[in-house]
Amino acid sequence: MAHVLVTGAAGFIGAAVTAALAARGDRVTGIDVAVGPALARLAEAHAGVTAYVCEITEWAALAELMRRDPPDTIVHCAAIVGVPASVLSPHRTFDVNVGGSLTLFEAARLFGVRRVVHISSEETYGAFQAECIDETHPQNPVLAYGISKLAVEHLGRTFATLYGLEVVHLRTCWVYGPGLPRPRVPKTFVDAAVAGRPFHLPWGAAMKVDHTYIDDLVAGVLGALDCANHPHDAYNLGSGKAPTLAEIVGIIRELVPGADISAGDGEFEHSLPGASVPAVRKGALNVARAHAAFGYTPRYDIRAGLAAYIEAVRAGGS
Ligand SMILES: NC(=O)c1ccc[n+]([C@@H]2O[C@H](COP(=O)([O-])OP(=O)(O)OC[C@H]3O[C@@H](n4cnc5c(N)ncnc54)[C@H](O)[C@@H]3O)[C@@H](O)[C@H]2O)c1
């Protein structure tokens, strides 16, 4: 039975990864700034899941936790996530994403961790130069979030070169499904449609971005964790397709008849209090490298993913 440390285990992706690891019998130590409801439920349901309050920026606490019970591998999900949060809190973004990852990598190499899988982001690419891009696309991030995630990738390479620590980066796009804590599309449309509330986004219909259903992302994370020998240290994980927001709204309307939702013309903007930040051009992620290395095969196209998501929200998820 492997022992996996999951950082950010109370969050959207961290909790889903923790659930999947526990379900297959791995032992999981889940850490986060607070043991939120999702992680608390997992620790209650699975004897193999232990939850701790532990900040990745706090060396003494993190080192003591890993010294007492060193994990074999780490799935690194803890971060200040997303463009709006990073524009509002750039210092905190760098403190947690870059400083926290540095602390984690240092502890990982000192306490004999075999592999760290870091959830990176398509924001490290900056504006997409084609409709569908692979991992060789230039990385020119333009906002604090993407810049911080690219810094983590580079730091991972430094630890590999200097100390032989294996760090694998999974660049994913917009992950959706029950449990996302942020009001981001398609969550905003799905929640409104299921609740019978009107929701009209003033812009964004033309925005094209790869949307990955949470179950596919988790399957990719486990694939990368288990892969015997990684031929690369960075992989795209996505659906391989980039539907427009107009298409997404259309599918939700079909799946929830009578849904009073729409997206206005034009490109997408991230809403912030008193301001909005235009999204850079995005598109689809080519996932051939992850398929070749560890068999990653997305099972959910956008229609199947939205149907599963709507069913989960109807059943009481969020
Ligand atoms: N959700 C997406 O669409 C998406 C897309 C691309 C990349 N990612 C990456 O995936 C990872 C997980 O994202 P998510 O969507 O689950 O976000 P999330 O906000 O739901 O989870 C992140 C978790 O990290 C925790 N955290 C923050 N600071 C911490 C600290 N100092 N110490 C310990 N924990 C801390 C938060 O409390 C939160 O529970 C992040 O690295 C993110 O950059 C997410």
Side-chain angles (χ1 to χ4, degrees):
M1 181 204 294
H3 176 205
V4 187
L5 175 73
V6 178
T7 72
F12 174 45
I13 294 172
V17 168
T18 298
L21 290 168
R24 71 181 196 177
D26 285 344
R27 190 158 73 80
V28 182
T29 297
I31 63 169
D32 208 302
V33 295
V35 178
L39 182 56
R41 274 196 301 274
L42 286 165
E44 225 174 84
H46 300 274
V49 175
T50 313
Y52 291 103
V53 171
C54 179
E55 296 222 16
I56 57 166
T57 45
E58 296 297 333
W59 165 254
L62 185 66
E64 178 54 18
L65 183 115
M66 286 175 63
R67 185 193 65 78
R68 263 191 284 125
D69 190 8
D72 303 305
T73 52
I74 296 176
V75 179
H76 179 26
C77 305
I80 303 301
V81 182
V83 167
S86 77
V87 170
L88 291 171
S89 310
H91 287 276
R92 182 88 184 124
T93 298
F94 275 83
D95 189 22
V96 172
N97 297 8
V98 182
S101 296
L102 198 51
T103 309
L104 186 75
F105 293 162
E106 187 65 16
R109 68 117 179 162
L110 287 175
F111 297 112
V113 170
R114 189 170 51 77
R115 174 177 290 165
V116 180
V117 172
H118 164 236
I119 316 299
S120 189
S121 165
E122 97 289 359
E123 280 284 326
T124 62
Y125 290 121
F128 284 28
Q129 295 173 6
E131 294 266 311
C132 183
I133 64 169
D134 68 16
E135 294 85 349
T136 63
H137 185 282
Q139 288 180 290
N140 295 313
V142 291
L143 295 166
Y145 175 56
I147 297 167
S148 73
K149 299 298 282 187
L150 181 56
V152 179
E153 291 196 10
H154 287 318
L155 282 169
R157 285 178 195 116
T158 302
F159 273 74
T161 308
L162 292 180
Y163 309 115
L165 176 69
E166 188 183 25
V167 186
V168 175
H169 308 278
L170 304 177
R171 297 177 193 146
T172 187
C173 244
W174 292 16
V175 187
Y176 67 103
L180 183 75
R182 292 172 292 285
R184 199 192 60 195
V185 299
K187 173 183 171 59
T188 39
F189 290 111
V190 167
D191 285 351
V194 172
R197 268 189 290 109
F199 179 71
H200 300 282
L201 191 70
W203 51 65
M207 162 85 163
K208 276 185 170 180
V209 59
D210 196 316
H211 281 80
T212 312
Y213 191 60
I214 184 71
D215 291 11
D216 280 335
L217 197 267
V218 169
V221 172
L222 297 196
L225 198 62
D226 296 343
C227 178
N229 290 302
H230 273 290
H232 303 278
D233 71 0
Y235 301 90
N236 284 343
L237 283 191
S239 69
K241 298 269 164 23
T244 63
L245 206 47
E247 285 166 328
I248 289 174
V249 170
I251 294 169
I252 297 171
R253 281 213 205 104
E254 283 170 32
L255 294 170
V256 185
D260 185 12
I261 57 172
S262 68
D265 289 343
E267 289 302 326
F268 187 79
E269 297 183 17
H270 298 277
S271 305
L272 298 169
S276 65
V277 180
V280 296
R281 181 186 170 194
K282 294 186 187 289
L285 294 177
N286 179 327
V287 296
R289 184 188 274 188
H291 179 73
F294 47 92
Y296 173 71
T297 308
R299 287 172 44 233
Y300 293 83
D301 64 12
I302 189 68
R303 179 175 289 274
L306 286 170
Y309 186 15
I310 288 166
E311 199 180 304
V313 173
R314 281 185 171 138
S318 63

